[in-house]
Amino acid sequence: MTKTKIILGIETSCDETAAAIMQKNKDGVHILSNVVASSAALQAKYGGIIPEQAAREQLKSIILVIQEALSQAFPLHPKPYTLNPPSIDSIAVTQGPGLIGSLLVGVETAKTLALTWNKPLVPMNHLMGHFYANWIGSTPTFPAIGLLVSGGHTDLILMTGHGKYKYLGGTRDDAAGEAFDKTARLLDLPYPGGPAIAQRANEFKIKNARFKITLPRPLLNEDSLDFSFSGLKTAIFREVEKLKTTKQFNNEAVSQLAFETQEAIVDVLVTKTIKAAQTYKVDQILVAGGVAANQKLSEKLRLAAQKNLSHVRLFIPPPSLCTDNAAFIATAAFYNYHPVDPLLLQANPNLSLTFFSPPS
Ligand code: KG4
Ligand code: ZN
């Protein structure tokens, strides 16, 4: 662990440009500022992310976002920052995984700032970073089961210490967020699909169900801690086709399909997470990633944990810290403090969770 007290975090792995200033004291890590600019609304027009366009938006926003984070955290600090380095001890930046064009913007900016201001530079794995949203304002302990559910990942890990974990299982095909996004597309709902499906699912009342539908919950009762979500979009596709031929594909049908999709994804995530906690006799669960913002997931996981595990401590970040931000990148850097030579740091779009595994 580091003696560093204030870290500037920079995150640009996908379509969010984010900078945050985080402070660590004896009570844990706290936010001094947390700024996120998103090109999601622009990407929504095209129904998904266009990497080239996401990178261009990153470039346009990065300096403004960092300036805003600094001026919110240090309103009295003299500008320009290039001549008057701000009162930060280190810089942390997402090295990967993500879209290479987007990652390069954050990494090269962080390298430039580290060299100009003469500050240590700490690279961070975006996936590991997500888990550290749970260390903002609270202090989980080990061992813990970690569930990462984002746009590109669905992973279960056993965490035994900072930077020490074992991979337990993950998706064999689509990630949970991807399943939300792809189903939303079939239902003519906007990108990103997760929040859109959740909103339509909330409008659905079971007593108003117009048709019977059973969606697959693959691998639910298998011992393995793997997931598979690709069958869901095929099942939804078939339902939509059926409803379209019988002219029943209307607003109510979309709400019912959104509801059933959310139930199927949440059921599988909850069952596997509880199974992992029971198998490894762990009574702490940390959830992370954009899908952790899903209210149904937190409700069902809380109930299942109370029912099946004694003395469980369940950590789910507030929705604003579940989706991509730089606050969790800086927080992760406090606990995994490994500075590198800025001139040698390279963005790595293929970085995986095993990056931080202890040597076996
Ligand atoms: O972690 P994240 O912000 O970006 C990645 O690193 O992938 O996750 C984005 C994913 C998208 O698939 C989005 O649809 C999903 O998180 N998501 C949600 C919700 N908010 C975002 N899924 C379900 N319910 C939500 N409320
Ligand atoms: Zn993410």
Side-chain angles (χ1 to χ4, degrees):
M1 211 176 294
T2 167
K3 290 197 197 76
T4 298
K5 294 294 189 312
I6 297 184
I7 292 184
L8 159 66
I10 297 175
E11 150 66 39
T12 65
S13 64
C14 191
D15 56 353
E16 265 89 30
T17 313
I21 316 286
M22 305 298 284
Q23 182 166 39
K24 187 162 180 290
N25 58 23
K26 62 178 176 16
D27 308 321
V29 179
H30 307 277
I31 298 176
L32 296 183
S33 67
N34 180 21
V35 177
V36 181
S38 176
S39 67
L42 188 65
Q43 313 289 336
K45 285 190 196 159
Y46 306 95
I49 293 173
I50 298 172
E52 160 74 22
Q53 187 181 48
R56 257 186 279 141
E57 293 306 310
Q58 295 280 7
L59 262 179
K60 283 192 224 164
S61 307
I62 188 72
I63 300 295
L64 294 172
V65 165
I66 293 172
Q67 293 245 14
E68 181 61 24
L70 288 169
S71 59
Q72 282 183 20
F74 312 113
L76 303 178
H77 189 89
K79 298 180 190 67
Y81 295 113
T82 39
L83 299 180
N84 302 284
S87 329
I88 55 165
D89 300 293
S90 299
I91 299 171
V93 65
T94 300
Q95 183 186 10
L99 303 171
I100 184 62
S102 292
L103 285 168
L104 276 168
V105 174
V107 168
E108 296 306 314
T109 306
K111 283 159 72 170
T112 308
L113 292 178
L115 290 167
T116 315
W117 293 339
N118 195 23
K119 309 276 183 189
L121 179 62
V122 182
M124 192 44 59
N125 178 312
H126 178 82
L127 306 175
M128 206 57 213
H130 265 296
F131 284 109
Y132 281 85
N134 290 297
W135 268 268
I136 300 172
S138 35
T139 44
T141 52
F142 300 106
I145 289 293
L147 170 71
L148 174 63
V149 271
S150 67
H153 285 263
T154 302
D155 293 312
L156 270 170
I157 61 173
L158 172 67
M159 307 172 89
T160 55
H162 294 295
K164 293 196 182 106
Y165 63 82
K166 186 177 164 193
Y167 181 79
L168 303 179
T171 185
R172 295 183 186 170
D173 39 58
D174 291 352
E178 200 177 352
F180 273 112
D181 294 339
K182 287 180 174 171
T183 311
R185 225 179 224 250
L186 294 171
L187 299 180
D188 295 332
L189 295 175
Y191 171 87
I197 293 215
Q199 194 193 341
R200 295 303 296 266
N202 283 343
E203 291 166 18
F204 174 72
K205 304 269 176 299
I206 291 177
K207 64 177 171 38
N208 294 344
R210 292 291 153 111
F211 49 92
K212 215 175 144 34
I213 166 173
T214 320
L215 293 176
R217 282 153 173 78
L219 312 181
L220 189 67
N221 298 314
E222 271 191 22
D223 276 346
S224 114
L225 293 172
D226 280 347
F227 301 87
S228 166
F229 290 111
S230 66
L232 204 57
K233 62 175 186 293
T234 319
I236 292 286
F237 177 78
R238 287 213 192 95
E239 286 298 329
V240 169
E241 290 296 293
K242 240 188 323 184
L243 290 166
K244 278 186 176 164
T245 27
T246 53
K247 303 224 174 336
Q248 292 183 82
F249 187 67
N250 52 24
N251 248 340
E252 285 173 3
V254 168
S255 296
Q256 184 173 347
L257 289 168
F259 177 86
E260 304 285 356
T261 301
Q262 182 172 262
E263 291 294 304
I265 296 173
V266 166
D267 281 354
V268 180
L269 293 175
V270 169
T271 305
K272 297 279 176 177
T273 306
I274 298 294
K275 190 176 282 178
Q278 286 171 325
T279 307
Y280 291 89
K281 300 189 176 33
V282 161
D283 55 16
Q284 288 201 94
I285 295 174
L286 312 181
V287 190
V291 180
N294 188 276
Q295 213 185 327
K296 197 51 161 279
L297 174 62
S298 57
E299 281 168 19
K300 283 199 162 183
L301 196 52
R302 210 166 283 285
L303 284 176
Q306 278 162 5
K307 195 169 149 220
N308 296 289
L309 306 163
S310 53
H311 315 300
V312 70
R313 289 175 81 201
L314 176 62
F315 293 88
I316 304 179
S320 63
L321 295 175
C322 288
T323 45
D324 290 349
N325 62 76
F328 66 57
I329 294 298
T331 305
F334 280 115
Y335 296 99
N336 301 272
Y337 193 77
H338 307 295
V340 295
D341 179 347
L343 291 175
L344 299 181
L345 182 63
Q346 303 278 342
N348 181 353
N350 302 317
L351 211 57
S352 74
L353 261 181
T354 50
F355 184 68
F356 279 105
S357 285
S360 51

